[in-house]
Amino acid sequence: MGKRKVQKLLQGYVTEGVADPQHDLPLLRLMQDRRATVEANILSGKPIGFAALDTDTRRIDQILSIAERLRQTLRLPGLGTEDLKALLQATAPSLRSGAADSTMRYGAARFLAASAAFEAAKTQFAIPAGKTPSWAEHDNPLTELTTAMGDLLDARHLLRDWTSWCGIRRRAVSQNLGALVDDIEAGLVRPAEAQSAFRLAYVRWWLPATLDADPVLRNFRRFQHEHAIEDFREIDDLVRAQASLRVISAIAHGLPAVQSVPRNSELGLLRHQMELQRPSRSIREMIGAMPSSFAKLAPCMLMSPLSIAQYLPPDQALFDVVIFDEASQITTWDAVGAIARAHQTIIVGDPKQLPPTNFFGRNEEDEEVVEHEKDLESILDEAKAAGIPVRDLRWHYRSRNESLIAFSNHHYYQNRLITFPSPTVEDRAVQLRKITTGIYDRGKSRTNRIEAQAVTDDAVSRMRRWLALPEKDRPTLGVITFNAQQQSLILDLFDKARQTEPELEWFFADERIEPAIVKNLENVQGDERDIILFSITFSQDNAGKRSMDFGALNRDGGERRLNVAVTRARQELIVFSGFAADQIDPNRTKAIGVQHLKAFLDFAERGAVALPAQERGSVGALESPFEEAVAAELEKRGWTIVPQVGISGFRVDIGIRHPDLAGAYLAGVECDGATYHSSATARDRDKVREQVLRGLGWNIVRVWSTDWWFDLEGCTERLHASLAALLEESRRKQAEQQESEPAIHWDMGHKVDPMDPLPAEDLASAGEPEHPSIKSEPELVAAPLATGERPSASAGILPAAAHSTHDTVPTGGRYRLTDLTGFSTSPDQFYDFVYRGTLRSMVDAVIEQEGPLREDVLAQRIARAHGWLRTGNKIRERIDLHLREFDRTEESSGSFLWKRGTVVDLLDYRMPFDADARRSIADIPIAELAAVVVANEDILEQSDPALDLARLLGVERLAAISRSRLDEAIDRAQRNLAST
């Protein structure tokens, strides 16, 4: 008999309300010895004594024993209900009159006794069962009762589970869970889902009350919270910007004017020495002669340990703090002198990077020195061994792709570094280029010429492509080699390439902040570049032999050199190698560095899957039911989601794949879950992390759990609309790029004819915006005449070559000054926080009308609108807070502001609308000037193209600075024409 049938059977006998909680004991422990006693009592009419049976085991004995007796006492074979009635009707008169024979009387007596015993047994059965059985609706009730009792005896092993359920059901009902019990019994909730159903129901009951009880949660409004975050970011930027000014002000306080110091004072002595053509005192003497003034003049010094010993006298006043950077490369004896110069010391370094170079240091192995007195490798090691408090700097900002740091994070930093994922689906910023034909000249030049040529060719090819980009957008490049010989060879190959293509010289110019470099493992620490080309150098030799000797990598600490080499790139690391990972036999060397090189080559070839426990770029499932709900709603609306994007401790909660670009994410959805709440400060939580992600190219959309709870549909629609807007913007940019690529020759507009020069008084009164880099007098571009006017060509403004019908200026409409009179300006509130909305609107209006516009000209526009004739640093700083949403181009005359996504190499020239809208050469973007040259190629054939271009634009006097700027425009135009 199945469990369901037993339950149905028992429902006729058992009612939970009668049972007592103390009777919920295991039911299989049946007391068989009591069954005979119970049956005897039933037959003899003695009381059964149910009060003494106080356990479920005894109760079950009662049910089973009485059921057995009922079945035995009701054995009347062949007698149905009608037969029994007929029998009673036939015997009743005789029994009443007393005429029945003894047999009939004896049978009746037995029947009455059996009936009484049956009623007694039924009554007693009802006590432990909790219900009196009734089969009145059955045609053969006695037969049905007999069968039921037999089934009950056969199912005795299931009674234990049933009584357990009764007890649990009773407790659940007492805890107001009757509805859940009813649903379980009705089959609406499966037993395995009971816990989840209870939790869901509990949360739905508990959460509204909790939200209502907390005023912060009850009054949460998405727009208010987001505005508060935006205000916090602006205030934080303002505070950080003002902090440097406050420090400068505090430092400069108390210094007299240069002219007011007496000659015999400390500052007077310094002024005297500075005026001498050959100072009579050394730097050390001068510092010693200014004990009270030196700290004010130079509160912060950037010096090496050797310079400190060389220039600072022994009795120099102590600094407040000395900071060691790259401390892993500073020996203890070099650092001691600097430490003695300050009250506090901060030692910054990475113990997993290169130790100090010690070619000529002493070897303590040959000296009798006590172990604890031996010098450690660096001051960093000494500080750690001394028990000085250590703070780990775990956030990693350099790598714009996680794969650039993933290998070192796993092998050297125990995955403790917090890195930020790239907005690409498959991050392969580390790649392996196999140079199978390379030959390592072992024992002679110790170079690999084929590999060196491959590295140089790749670098030169990249540089050629980058020359077409604006200078500020050109990536920086570095080459790292395993030894100094390969470094020298690659430098020679670069020299040959620069001689052949002089334009490549720009990448190697010393005046650049980050020129192209070629370095080896020993001297590359501290450098970083956007693109790094790594030449492994070692390969098979002329005899085809592959040695496991990798130079410095085989020495003690070689793995630290590898760590330095593979973490120098910001955007891309290309590894050139004649070795593959499977060709390195770690059994032939015990060097840890070689074993790590094998693992790194495998990582460069296969990606993150080569790292242990990393099967894909995005690991882990959604972290919370909230994230699961957001992901489910996004998938309903057709978005493809990737949970937990990233391979380190920090991940983007939900990545949205770009529908059009297979290898990119459209956006990242951040929920206020565990990652959000784990931030230590509000700056980390609401500014820094999102700022870093946006800097990497992510579009971040945030969802608030409280907002989701109150308005799921509205929140979902806003999220969907934000993603749709990002997709539309992405598609628009893609379309613009596709349209601009083939359109090399622009529509140059109508012809510009020469005109008479402006009167001298007009030139004098026109003026020019101030700019620190523009020192000569301005040259204003002449204003155009009204439509239909054609001045005489004899005016002499245009050269003869420009008089043909081909001499045109590409026009992009008229350049008008922005009318700011409609804004309600308040100079008194200019620096107030509440005034930021007005300033932002004014900035947007000016850029919309005049952009691209030089940044300082914009500041002057805003200052003049407030009635100020000068534009000081404080005014500029306040305006700068509202310029983050614009693109910039850095040019020789200053920084130009463009509307987001509108920067181009060539921009149609904008004619001045009136005399007030005339611009100097310094105020016109290079893109506009270059467009004029492209439209008038004949200018390039003139003896003085800059002068002819100036005359074409209507410039009367061409100063040296403006000539230089026009030369820049001509160079850009030539590059553009050459690319066509």
Side-chain angles (χ1 to χ4, degrees):
M1 180 183 294
K3 185 175 182 180
R4 187 177 299 276
K5 184 175 180 180
V6 172
Q7 290 178 349
K8 181 178 178 181
L9 172 66
L10 294 179
Q11 286 175 353
Y13 304 104
V14 182
T15 298
E16 310 79 43
V18 179
D20 190 82
Q22 65 178 337
H23 295 154
D24 299 327
L25 299 176
L27 303 180
L28 287 180
R29 296 178 302 170
L30 300 177
M31 298 177 63
Q32 300 294 341
D33 56 331
R34 285 188 169 272
R35 182 176 302 168
T37 302
V38 173
E39 292 178 354
N41 289 339
I42 292 175
L43 294 175
S44 62
K46 295 180 180 179
I48 301 178
F50 288 101
L53 302 178
D54 55 357
T55 65
D56 264 344
T57 302
R58 295 172 181 177
R59 174 191 285 181
I60 293 170
D61 282 342
Q62 296 172 26
I63 295 174
L64 295 175
S65 299
I66 297 171
E68 177 68 24
R69 187 59 188 155
L70 285 174
R71 186 175 64 172
Q72 292 177 359
T73 58
L74 295 176
R75 287 177 179 173
L76 299 175
L79 290 180
T81 303
E82 298 300 327
D83 297 333
L84 202 57
K85 288 181 179 179
L87 175 64
L88 293 175
Q89 290 174 357
T91 59
S94 300
L95 293 174
R96 285 197 299 269
S97 62
D101 57 15
S102 59
T103 303
M104 182 179 294
R105 185 177 296 279
Y106 177 73
R110 289 182 58 196
F111 176 80
L112 290 176
S115 177
F118 172 77
E119 291 299 330
K122 186 171 69 172
T123 302
Q124 299 301 328
F125 180 86
I127 294 175
K131 184 177 182 181
T132 300
S134 175
W135 291 271
E137 67 277 6
H138 296 284
D139 295 334
N140 298 303
L142 301 180
T143 303
E144 182 67 23
L145 178 59
T146 301
T147 302
M149 293 300 102
D151 292 341
L152 184 60
L153 291 171
D154 294 338
R156 69 183 64 184
H157 64 283
L158 296 176
L159 287 175
R160 179 171 180 262
D161 294 339
W162 172 250
T163 55
S164 295
W165 160 248
C166 292
I168 293 171
R169 184 185 191 281
R170 186 172 56 255
R171 288 199 301 271
V173 172
S174 67
Q175 297 294 331
N176 298 320
L177 295 178
L180 178 61
V181 171
D182 294 340
D183 288 344
I184 292 174
E185 291 181 338
L188 300 177
V189 176
R190 290 182 297 180
E193 298 174 349
Q195 186 178 27
S196 299
F198 167 76
R199 288 182 174 179
L200 177 61
Y202 181 81
V203 168
R204 286 180 173 173
W205 165 81
W206 171 83
L207 191 55
T210 302
L211 292 176
D212 290 341
D214 191 325
V216 175
L217 298 176
R218 183 177 66 247
N219 298 324
F220 178 86
R221 297 295 183 274
R222 173 186 57 84
F223 54 88
Q224 290 179 347
H225 190 67
E226 291 177 350
H227 289 171
I229 292 176
E230 183 179 356
D231 292 343
F232 165 74
R233 292 173 179 174
E234 291 187 358
I235 294 173
D236 186 64
D237 289 339
L238 181 63
V239 170
R240 291 169 68 89
Q242 294 297 323
S244 59
L245 298 178
R246 182 176 181 181
V247 171
I248 294 174
S249 175
I251 292 174
H253 180 70
L255 285 176
V258 177
Q259 298 81 5
S260 63
V261 296
R263 185 168 182 174
N264 60 348
S265 65
E266 294 180 2
L267 295 177
L269 176 62
L270 176 62
R271 183 182 61 186
H272 172 70
Q273 290 293 320
M274 292 174 62
E275 292 175 353
L276 294 177
Q277 200 168 30
R278 290 187 177 181
S280 59
R281 294 195 178 189
S282 66
I283 296 177
R284 185 185 180 93
E285 291 175 335
M286 285 302 304
I287 294 176
M290 295 187 298
S292 60
S293 302
F294 179 73
K296 294 181 179 180
L297 288 173
C300 182
M301 300 289 291
L302 182 63
M303 308 176 74
S304 67
L306 180 61
S307 298
I308 291 175
Q310 182 177 356
Y311 294 114
L312 297 183
D315 56 350
Q316 175 67 32
L318 296 180
F319 289 88
D320 294 320
V321 62
V322 58
I323 302 174
F324 290 92
D325 192 19
E326 298 288 358
S328 68
Q329 290 194 307
I330 302 176
T331 59
T332 304
W333 50 87
D334 280 340
V336 168
I339 293 175
R341 302 281 186 172
H343 296 287
Q344 289 182 320
T345 299
I346 299 175
I347 301 173
V348 182
D350 185 352
K352 300 299 182 180
Q353 294 193 1
L354 293 183
T357 302
N358 189 24
F359 292 119
F360 305 103
R362 62 180 182 175
N363 186 3
E364 292 183 342
E365 298 296 331
D366 300 332
E367 300 180 8
E368 295 295 333
V369 181
V370 182
E371 182 66 27
H372 67 271
E373 293 182 357
K374 290 184 178 180
D375 290 330
L376 299 180
E377 279 188 322
S378 67
I379 185 60
L380 180 64
D381 297 322
E382 292 281 3
K384 292 180 64 179
I388 296 177
V390 176
R391 180 180 295 273
D392 288 335
L393 304 179
R394 299 176 58 193
W395 283 32
H396 177 80
Y397 295 105
R398 174 190 300 156
S399 302
R400 296 183 63 84
N401 296 280
E402 273 189 308
S403 60
L404 293 170
I405 193 63
F407 177 83
S408 291
N409 196 15
H410 173 77
H411 285 279
Y412 303 109
Y413 304 110
Q414 293 77 48
N415 286 322
R416 291 184 293 108
L417 294 183
I418 297 176
T419 60
F420 297 86
S422 167
T424 55
V425 174
E426 185 178 6
D427 181 0
R428 291 304 307 275
V430 180
Q431 298 182 31
L432 178 65
R433 300 277 179 85
K434 295 181 180 179
I435 311 298
T436 57
T437 60
I439 300 297
Y440 178 60
D441 190 14
R442 190 181 310 278
K444 297 181 181 179
S445 66
R446 301 180 63 189
T447 62
N448 189 328
R449 178 168 289 273
I450 296 176
E451 186 172 297
Q453 190 64 57
V455 171
T456 307
D457 291 344
D458 186 279
V460 170
S461 176
R462 292 172 182 268
M463 291 177 182
R464 290 195 192 103
R465 295 196 303 270
W466 295 342
L467 285 172
L469 301 175
E471 290 188 3
K472 70 179 186 66
D473 296 333
R474 296 174 186 173
T476 57
L477 183 139
V479 177
I480 301 175
T481 67
F482 257 53
N483 59 29
Q485 292 80 3
Q486 186 81 349
Q487 174 190 4
S488 299
L489 175 58
I490 293 177
L491 283 171
D492 293 340
L493 294 175
F494 270 131
D495 289 339
K496 292 180 180 179
R498 291 156 64 182
Q499 293 173 3
T500 306
E501 303 178 59
E503 59 271 18
L504 299 179
E505 197 65 39
W506 182 88
F507 293 96
F508 297 88
D510 292 335
E511 59 269 16
R512 292 189 58 208
I513 297 178
E514 289 188 348
I517 59 171
V518 181
K519 294 191 175 184
N520 60 60
L521 291 181
E522 302 295 336
N523 57 21
V524 74
Q525 182 167 322
D527 289 300
E528 60 182 67
R529 294 295 185 269
D530 295 329
I531 312 296
I532 291 292
L533 308 181
F534 187 14
S535 173
I536 300 298
T537 307
F538 298 95
S539 182
Q540 62 183 355
D541 56 21
N542 289 317
K545 179 182 178 182
R546 296 181 183 273
S547 172
M548 292 298 105
D549 182 7
F550 294 92
L553 213 62
N554 290 76
R555 298 202 296 266
D556 186 25
E559 70 279 4
R560 292 198 275 180
R561 291 173 169 83
L562 180 64
N563 179 37
V564 171
V566 301
T567 56
R568 300 301 96 194
R570 288 190 287 255
Q571 296 180 8
E572 190 175 5
L573 172 62
I574 309 298
V575 184
F576 293 80
S577 175
F579 270 94
D582 57 0
Q583 293 175 312
I584 297 179
D585 185 1
N587 296 322
R588 295 170 56 187
T589 176
K590 296 181 180 180
I592 299 177
V594 176
Q595 297 176 13
H596 284 189
L597 176 62
K598 175 182 176 69
F600 174 71
L601 292 178
D602 186 30
F603 169 75
E605 185 172 10
R606 296 195 295 140
V609 70
L611 296 179
Q614 300 288 348
E615 297 181 355
R616 56 192 186 278
S618 176
V619 295
L622 295 166
E623 288 188 337
S624 67
F626 174 42
E627 292 181 13
E628 293 174 1
V630 173
E633 292 297 329
L634 291 173
E635 288 180 323
K636 288 180 183 178
R637 285 160 174 77
W639 301 104
T640 303
I641 67 109
V642 177
Q644 296 296 299
V645 179
I647 56 178
S648 74
F650 176 80
R651 300 187 181 114
V652 175
D653 294 333
I654 302 174
I656 307 297
R657 285 182 180 268
H658 200 297
D660 303 335
L661 305 177
Y665 288 103
L666 172 66
V669 178
E670 287 281 274
C671 304
D672 54 344
T675 301
Y676 181 80
H677 293 291
S678 64
S679 300
T681 64
R683 179 180 289 111
D684 289 347
R685 181 173 61 249
D686 291 319
K687 181 183 178 184
V688 176
R689 288 188 175 179
E690 185 170 329
Q691 190 177 48
V692 172
L693 290 173
R694 291 188 182 278
L696 293 174
W698 279 96
N699 296 309
I700 298 298
V701 182
R702 188 167 291 281
V703 183
W704 305 104
S705 56
T706 310
D707 188 39
W708 185 271
W709 169 260
F710 282 120
D711 184 14
L712 186 149
E713 290 298 328
C715 192
T716 303
E717 288 303 321
R718 284 192 297 271
L719 179 59
H720 176 70
S722 298
L723 295 175
L726 290 172
L727 178 59
E728 183 65 26
E729 177 67 14
S730 175
R731 287 172 173 172
R732 184 187 64 79
K733 291 181 178 179
Q734 291 294 323
E736 290 179 354
Q737 292 178 1
Q738 292 175 1
E739 291 176 0
S740 62
E741 287 176 359
I744 301 299
H745 297 286
W746 295 46
D747 181 9
M748 299 307 178
H750 62 273
K751 177 181 177 181
V752 176
D753 294 314
M755 60 179 297
D756 294 330
L758 290 174
E761 58 270 22
D762 288 347
L763 287 172
S765 62
E768 183 183 26
E770 299 174 0
H771 189 271
S773 64
I774 306 297
K775 301 300 183 182
S776 61
E777 55 182 310
E779 306 87 8
L780 295 181
V781 177
L785 298 177
T787 304
E789 295 186 33
R790 296 194 49 90
S792 171
S794 61
I797 297 179
L798 292 180
H803 292 171
S804 68
T805 58
H806 299 289
D807 299 322
T808 61
V809 175
T811 57
R814 299 283 182 172
Y815 180 82
R816 301 169 182 255
L817 297 185
T818 308
D819 183 10
L820 298 177
T821 58
F823 291 91
S824 179
T825 59
S826 175
D828 295 335
Q829 294 183 324
F830 187 85
Y831 298 100
D832 293 345
F833 185 71
V834 296
Y835 196 63
R836 67 192 189 283
T838 302
L839 279 182
R840 185 176 303 165
S841 298
M842 296 177 73
V843 169
D844 291 343
V846 173
I847 298 300
E848 180 68 29
Q849 177 71 28
E850 303 181 41
L853 180 69
R854 211 171 67 203
E855 184 176 348
D856 56 337
V857 175
L858 168 68
Q860 289 177 3
R861 294 272 192 275
I862 304 298
R864 301 300 184 270
H866 289 80
W868 296 320
L869 298 179
R870 297 183 61 83
T871 310
N873 290 333
K874 291 185 178 181
I875 296 176
R876 292 177 185 270
E877 290 170 359
R878 192 63 184 173
I879 296 173
D880 286 346
L881 295 177
H882 305 284
L883 305 183
R884 292 191 293 265
E885 299 301 321
F886 302 109
D887 290 337
R888 294 173 181 265
T889 55
E890 300 296 335
E891 302 182 10
S892 57
S893 62
S895 179
F896 280 78
L897 300 172
W898 300 63
K899 289 185 291 185
R900 181 62 61 89
T902 63
V903 177
V904 292
D905 285 341
L906 296 177
L907 179 67
D908 288 346
Y909 176 74
R910 295 171 291 172
M911 293 288 187
F913 179 75
D914 52 28
D916 292 334
R918 289 172 295 170
R919 295 175 292 172
S920 69
I921 297 299
D923 292 343
I924 304 175
I926 290 291
E928 287 189 53
L929 298 174
V932 177
V933 179
V934 172
N936 299 272
E937 297 183 36
D938 294 343
I939 288 179
L940 301 176
E941 300 176 2
Q942 304 302 312
S943 58
D944 191 349
L947 179 60
D948 292 332
L949 175 58
R951 289 180 177 177
L952 180 61
L953 295 172
V955 174
E956 279 294 297
R957 293 169 294 167
L958 184 60
I961 290 182
S962 294
R963 175 183 285 276
S964 174
R965 184 163 177 77
L966 293 179
D967 287 337
E968 292 181 42
I970 292 170
D971 289 341
R972 178 180 292 190
Q974 287 177 325
R975 291 196 300 269
N976 186 274
L977 292 170
S979 64
T980 61

